[in-house]
Amino acid sequence: MNNHQNLPSTDLSVKLQAITVSVHDATQSCQGNVTLLLALLRQLESLHKEIRDGIFQDSLPDNRQRLYSLLKDIESEGGWPYIERMRLQAFLVNLSAEVDNQNQAIKNTGNSPGIDSSWEW
């Protein structure tokens, strides 16, 4: 294991907090724009993959004691980091509910927003 602990723990905490604030700010800027939010999620996933497949993998333990220490830390600190993708079925349920709401609004107002109301999901 390559122990690059040049940064004190508090310095790392400050940097992680700054990243968190930046991501929250970006999220707020994208609110309501699903395309921008998707781009943000893709960027975060890309960064996760870059760190995991690069410097993290290069820093993995090279002996049993260090491996045990890493596994103990993973277990005590909350598990392996993972970025879960939204399941397509959940996405379609949300989309279907939105289409149903739009169809109901069309029926209630009698106005068509340019979508053929006979079209169903």
Side-chain angles (χ1 to χ4, degrees):
M1 179 176 353
N2 202 353
N3 285 327
H4 291 291
Q5 295 184 1
N6 299 339
L7 297 175
S9 180
T10 54
D11 191 28
L12 179 60
S13 293
V14 169
K15 288 182 178 198
L16 290 174
Q17 183 61 35
I19 291 169
T20 301
V21 168
S22 294
V23 170
H24 283 294
D25 288 347
T27 303
Q28 290 300 315
S29 300
C30 298
Q31 191 170 7
N33 187 328
V34 71
T35 304
L36 291 178
L37 288 166
L38 187 57
L40 177 61
L41 287 171
R42 285 179 177 147
Q43 183 62 46
L44 291 171
E45 181 181 27
S46 175
L47 288 170
H48 177 266
K49 184 177 190 278
E50 180 182 323
I51 293 167
R52 181 196 64 214
D53 294 346
I55 195 166
F56 179 77
Q57 197 163 10
D58 293 343
S59 300
L60 286 173
D62 56 3
N63 66 44
R64 287 182 190 177
Q65 290 83 13
R66 289 182 182 155
L67 176 60
Y68 177 76
S69 177
L70 174 64
L71 293 174
K72 205 165 114 178
D73 181 66
I74 289 171
E75 185 177 317
S76 69
E77 296 298 321
W80 193 261
Y82 175 72
I83 296 180
E84 182 177 1
R85 291 182 181 207
M86 185 177 193
R87 303 233 186 276
L88 187 55
Q89 283 184 318
F91 177 76
L92 291 175
V93 166
N94 292 338
L95 185 61
S96 180
E98 181 63 26
V99 169
D100 290 344
N101 289 341
Q102 287 179 353
N103 285 341
Q104 187 61 40
I106 291 168
K107 288 177 186 175
N108 290 342
T109 63
N111 295 333
S112 173
I115 297 175
D116 181 3
S117 60
S118 66
W119 185 66
E120 296 280 332
W121 279 96

